[in-house]
Amino acid sequence: AIARGKPVVTANKEALAKHWPEIMARARRRGVPVGFEATVGGGMPVVRAMQRHCSGDEIESFAGILNGTCNFILTRMKEYIVRHLEDREIQKRSLPLEEALAQAQRRGYAEPDPSNDLNGSDTKYKVAILANLAFDTFVDPADIYCEGIWEESQRIVPSDLYFLHHPRYLAGKFALKLVGVAERRYGRPTLRVHPALVEEAGPLGDLAAVSENFNGIVIRGRRLQTQFIKGLGAGPQPTTISVASDVREIATGMLRARAAGASAPGEAALADLPAAGTRRGAALGDVRRVPTRGYLRSFSPDVKGIYARKLEILARHKVNVQSVVNVREFVYGRDRVMPDYIEIDATPDGAVRDVLRAFRRLKNVRDPMYFRILEL
Amino acid sequence: AIARGKPVVTANKEALAKHWPEIMARARRRGVPVGFEATVGGGMPVVRAMQRHCSGDEIESFAGILNGTCNFILTRMKEYIVRHLEDREIQKRSLPLEEALAQAQRRGYAEPDPSNDLNGSDTKYKVAILANLAFDTFVDPADIYCEGIWEESQRIVPSDLYFLHHPRYLAGKFALKLVGVAERRYGRPTLRVHPALVEEAGPLGDLAAVSENFNGIVIRGRRLQTQFIKGLGAGPQPTTISVASDVREIATGMLRARAAGASAPGEAALADLPAAGTRRGAALGDVRRVPTRGYLRSFSPDVKGIYARKLEILARHKVNVQSVVNVREFVYGRDRVMPDYIEIDATPDGAVRDVLRAFRRLKNVRDPMYFRILEL
């Protein structure tokens, strides 16, 4: 369409994120406007907020819940656990991710193939698009560190929600969310997508409160400090409206330009087309160096020596342990593995990932996963 | 400036709200763009959200905390009370509105003359501007029903916060905020500004959580359902940035139009200039007919018969009473009046105002005030 000089309005975040420099350069050359409000957070005006409002400010970071499908699933799993906290049969009657997903599909909040939503790719493309605007660059989405919530070795299970919400354990201090995070660090955009614990009563409490199929984003600027935007995520309605709004804006601009006697109507309607930047992805900050803290979860049978081996690995990687908690209410499978949660102090993210890798090599230890506490 | 064909960027909400039709008609005639992001919620992109994003939707209502000064003051008064809940001398040591205001002035969050902030006028102008965009009309701000928080007979006092937050009474169920509310009702925009109780755990919980000098707004659309935006309110920084962002947007538009060979560069840059509408204010819905519920506060000495007289007036106006509560911890003045809070069922707002008028005529009863529970 661009080659034929036609304005483009798109909701295809994958194509836009991957081919950003080509699309923007071509559009600029041909004087063709490109609207893409619908690619991120259909029901909230986040693209325009980034594009226009923050143009007078310097954006330092943002963190968003950008996938309505994941958020709906995590909300259902949490609600189920909270409703059944005192049920002695909680494990048998718990709501696994697969069932929450089926609910989402019945309501039309999840695609028949939900892989891109659940493995974080959808969030990754959105982070790339927003980072392009926020940091005036081109980020190759393939360079963004990304963890999801349902890969075989990286799947949220009911005991996670139980541990987070039961008064005996973390008592609802944190909400579990799939987040996309962007920060200026080491002079570079540093980007990551992963499940995270968001403190309910902390400075990111607005984000912790984003539930159901809503999206939400916190944007930190040097001068405007904190902005927060929240709106409907998953669903065809928001997308349609964002597309319609882009179309209308471009059409209005073109009509006016024609009325004003512009020779190339498209040119005048170019809605703040971002710089094309380089054709190769910008160099990103190293997420392995970012200090994070949180909880390491893994499953193991209640046998002698297994905790000692885990703690020994942690010590070897210089990770400080705060506490180790067994959740005895949940015992899985024939070999009766039990989840435990190890709370760690702030550590470079790469060291924690090395620990996870070492855990995976341990006999008897299964599905280690890291729940980072979100801090901005 | 418009008469000379110069683009206009303004942060003057009073002038814009009062002279909307003239300004828009003149700008349209001369092909001059008008930027006014800075007039409402400097630190959050609410004008653009209303103007562009929601252009594909039909807006049903909005409710906003739009004055950072009031919000800062109410936050301070609440925090003080919450910190001293169990202090037996709480009344003597409480933080009156005047002192919270002085704190706001020291921090630069309040003007030397704060009348327009505290009597609700500032919020009223902002509601008018947002309603013009949301309902595509011209609202004369003088027609908006408006109550503030510091007029002599309408002043928030420490016992109000005590009643709202002490576990013996409402136990923090509600946050007290000065809100601007707009709804389509009876086929017309129905607009009001007043202090309101916003339920912390209810559907407007996002709004209840807006504290300090932040602004926040909930926008309800027919298709996009609920959006929420929050950002810095009071202070020179947000205003400056919004103005700069408007200037930049207009300049970009004009440069592009010129590049495209437009004969009247301004024309092409007209950023979605809203319709001028009629020159006379639109007919608004009657706020007196809107059903509201909440708490009536008044002060009276602990003498026989005074409650009976109040209840008799309520009955005469067909207002159902749910409960009557004395707050004995607070006794004011030489005649030792004590605040009581009468909880009422949903009643047409006009009837409650008639009750307040009748209360004011009662001997021994002082400063009756109505705390409406915000519902959208």
Side-chain angles (χ1 to χ4, degrees):
Chain A
I2 290 176
R4 279 175 280 122
K6 295 254 163 67
V8 173
V9 171
T10 182
N12 186 335
K13 52 203 142 269
E14 184 170 352
L16 181 67
K18 286 183 177 165
H19 306 294
W20 180 271
E22 298 91 307
I23 291 172
M24 293 306 160
R26 215 179 276 189
R28 198 162 273 285
R29 212 158 51 232
R30 310 268 323 183
V32 167
V34 178
F36 52 97
E37 181 67 64
T39 55
V40 189
M44 57 184 196
V46 58
V47 167
R48 290 203 168 92
M50 281 287 188
Q51 215 171 0
R52 302 227 166 84
H53 190 78
C54 299
S55 74
D57 198 5
E58 190 177 327
I59 294 181
E60 287 175 336
S61 61
F62 64 83
I65 296 166
L66 300 172
N67 184 277
T69 308
C70 288
N71 210 37
F72 178 84
I73 289 171
L74 294 174
T75 302
R76 285 285 82 74
M77 291 179 76
K78 175 219 153 173
E79 284 208 338
Y80 190 95
I81 285 289
V82 168
R83 248 197 338 266
H84 297 88
L85 274 181
E86 296 315 328
D87 191 330
R88 281 164 168 277
E89 303 271 78
I90 178 69
Q91 180 176 11
K92 278 192 211 153
R93 321 210 299 114
S94 69
L95 183 77
L97 190 143
E98 295 73 10
E99 283 177 32
L101 171 62
Q103 287 187 22
Q105 284 168 325
R106 278 198 297 278
R107 296 216 203 173
Y109 295 159
E111 311 278 325
D113 175 4
S115 326
N116 271 354
D117 291 319
L118 300 190
N119 67 18
S121 300
D122 176 82
T123 300
K124 187 175 69 178
Y125 299 133
K126 290 166 174 170
V127 167
I129 292 169
L130 293 180
N132 289 345
L133 298 171
F135 306 121
D136 199 14
T137 184
F138 162 59
V139 169
D140 185 340
D143 295 341
I144 298 178
Y145 180 73
C146 179
E147 295 176 2
I149 63 169
W150 86 326
E151 295 93 326
E152 215 176 320
S153 63
Q154 171 81 14
R155 180 172 303 196
I156 308 289
V157 293
S159 68
D160 299 330
L161 280 311
Y162 189 83
F163 173 68
L164 288 172
H165 292 282
H166 197 287
R168 202 164 25 239
Y169 305 113
L170 296 190
K173 189 180 178 200
F174 300 105
L176 175 60
K177 303 288 175 190
L178 182 73
V179 295
V181 186
E183 304 164 90
R184 274 184 215 276
R185 257 185 203 266
Y186 328 115
R188 291 177 172 170
T190 307
L191 313 174
R192 51 198 166 104
V193 173
H194 53 69
L197 307 181
V198 192
E199 201 177 350
E200 295 276 1
L204 298 169
D206 287 321
L207 208 56
V210 175
S211 61
E212 300 296 339
N213 60 328
F214 276 81
N215 286 0
I217 187 167
V218 169
I219 304 171
R220 292 261 171 86
R222 212 161 57 84
R223 288 182 291 176
L224 284 181
Q225 296 181 30
T226 301
Q227 284 185 68
F228 174 69
I229 306 179
K230 170 176 160 178
L232 261 194
Q237 283 271 32
T239 305
T240 312
I241 290 175
S242 291
V243 168
S245 152
D246 275 348
V247 169
R248 183 186 303 217
E249 186 166 332
I250 288 173
T252 311
M254 290 178 68
L255 283 174
R256 287 204 184 110
R258 198 167 299 156
S263 52
E267 185 86 10
L270 276 175
D272 272 307
L273 214 54
T278 166
R279 269 156 179 284
R280 296 179 47 192
L284 300 181
D286 184 1
V287 176
R288 290 183 61 92
R289 289 172 61 196
V290 177
T292 59
R293 64 191 181 96
Y295 296 83
L296 285 169
R297 176 260 277 158
S298 57
F299 299 93
S300 44
D302 197 9
V303 295
K304 255 187 197 159
I306 197 90
Y307 297 109
R309 258 174 290 150
K310 288 186 192 174
L311 294 174
E312 190 255 321
I313 290 172
L314 285 155
R316 202 189 322 137
H317 289 86
K318 301 195 174 55
V319 180
N320 271 337
V321 171
Q322 280 282 344
S323 64
V324 184
V325 172
N326 269 299
V327 176
R328 300 198 167 268
E329 296 87 336
F330 283 79
V331 175
Y332 288 94
R334 266 193 289 174
D335 40 3
R336 303 190 58 71
V337 291
M338 202 165 52
D340 62 79
Y341 295 82
I342 304 177
E343 183 186 2
I344 62 166
D345 283 349
T347 313
D349 204 78
V352 187
R353 281 189 251 161
D354 293 340
V355 166
L356 288 175
R357 205 166 303 123
F359 274 21
R360 275 188 204 106
R361 280 194 299 264
L362 281 181
K363 208 187 137 210
N364 279 333
V365 172
R366 221 171 307 143
D367 297 343
M369 185 165 163
Y370 183 26
F371 294 95
R372 295 162 183 85
I373 295 170
L374 182 62
E375 282 159 321
L376 263 198
Chain B
I2 291 177
R4 277 174 280 123
K6 295 253 163 66
V8 172
V9 172
T10 182
N12 186 336
K13 51 204 145 268
E14 182 170 353
L16 182 68
K18 286 183 176 165
H19 306 294
W20 182 270
E22 298 91 307
I23 291 171
M24 293 307 161
R26 216 181 273 189
R28 199 160 271 286
R29 214 160 46 234
R30 310 270 322 187
V32 168
V34 178
F36 52 97
E37 182 69 64
T39 56
V40 189
M44 58 185 194
V46 58
V47 166
R48 290 202 169 92
M50 280 288 188
Q51 216 171 1
R52 303 228 164 84
H53 191 78
C54 300
S55 74
D57 197 5
E58 190 177 325
I59 293 181
E60 287 174 336
S61 61
F62 63 82
I65 295 165
L66 302 172
N67 185 277
T69 309
C70 287
N71 210 37
F72 178 84
I73 288 171
L74 294 173
T75 302
R76 284 286 84 71
M77 289 179 76
K78 175 219 153 172
E79 284 207 336
Y80 189 94
I81 284 289
V82 168
R83 250 199 335 269
H84 297 87
L85 273 181
E86 297 315 328
D87 190 330
R88 281 164 168 277
E89 303 271 80
I90 178 70
Q91 179 178 10
K92 278 191 212 153
R93 320 210 298 114
S94 67
L95 184 76
L97 189 143
E98 294 72 12
E99 282 178 32
L101 170 62
Q103 287 188 22
Q105 285 167 326
R106 277 198 297 277
R107 295 216 205 172
Y109 295 159
E111 312 278 325
D113 175 4
S115 325
N116 272 354
D117 291 319
L118 301 189
N119 67 19
S121 301
D122 176 82
T123 301
K124 187 175 70 178
Y125 299 133
K126 290 167 173 169
V127 167
I129 292 168
L130 293 179
N132 289 345
L133 298 170
F135 306 122
D136 199 14
T137 184
F138 162 58
V139 169
D140 185 339
D143 295 342
I144 298 178
Y145 181 73
C146 178
E147 294 175 1
I149 63 168
W150 86 325
E151 294 93 326
E152 214 177 319
S153 62
Q154 170 84 12
R155 179 173 303 193
I156 308 288
V157 293
S159 68
D160 299 330
L161 281 311
Y162 189 83
F163 173 68
L164 289 171
H165 292 282
H166 197 286
R168 202 164 25 238
Y169 306 112
L170 297 190
K173 188 180 179 202
F174 301 105
L176 175 61
K177 302 289 177 190
L178 181 74
V179 295
V181 186
E183 305 165 88
R184 273 184 216 276
R185 257 185 202 265
Y186 329 116
R188 290 175 174 170
T190 306
L191 313 173
R192 50 198 167 105
V193 173
H194 53 70
L197 307 181
V198 192
E199 201 177 349
E200 295 276 1
L204 297 170
D206 287 321
L207 209 56
V210 175
S211 61
E212 300 296 338
N213 60 327
F214 275 82
N215 286 0
I217 187 167
V218 169
I219 304 172
R220 292 261 170 87
R222 212 161 58 84
R223 289 182 289 178
L224 284 181
Q225 297 181 31
T226 301
Q227 286 184 66
F228 174 69
I229 306 178
K230 171 177 160 178
L232 261 195
Q237 284 271 34
T239 305
T240 311
I241 288 173
S242 292
V243 168
S245 154
D246 276 348
V247 169
R248 183 185 305 216
E249 186 166 333
I250 288 172
T252 312
M254 290 180 68
L255 283 175
R256 285 204 186 112
R258 196 168 299 156
S263 53
E267 186 86 10
L270 276 175
D272 272 308
L273 213 54
T278 164
R279 270 159 177 280
R280 296 180 45 191
L284 300 181
D286 184 0
V287 176
R288 289 184 61 91
R289 288 171 62 194
V290 176
T292 59
R293 64 191 181 97
Y295 295 83
L296 285 168
R297 176 260 278 157
S298 56
F299 299 94
S300 43
D302 196 9
V303 295
K304 254 188 198 158
I306 198 91
Y307 297 110
R309 258 174 288 153
K310 288 186 191 173
L311 293 174
E312 191 255 321
I313 289 171
L314 286 155
R316 203 189 321 139
H317 289 86
K318 300 193 173 54
V319 180
N320 271 337
V321 171
Q322 281 280 346
S323 64
V324 183
V325 172
N326 271 299
V327 176
R328 298 197 169 269
E329 295 88 335
F330 283 79
V331 174
Y332 288 96
R334 266 193 287 170
D335 40 4
R336 303 190 57 74
V337 292
M338 202 167 54
D340 62 79
Y341 295 82
I342 304 177
E343 183 186 1
I344 62 167
D345 284 348
T347 313
D349 205 77
V352 188
R353 281 189 252 159
D354 293 340
V355 166
L356 289 174
R357 206 164 306 123
F359 275 21
R360 274 186 206 110
R361 280 194 300 261
L362 281 180
K363 210 188 136 207
N364 278 333
V365 172
R366 221 172 305 145
D367 297 344
M369 186 166 164
Y370 182 27
F371 295 95
R372 295 163 182 85
I373 295 171
L374 182 63
E375 283 161 319
L376 264 199

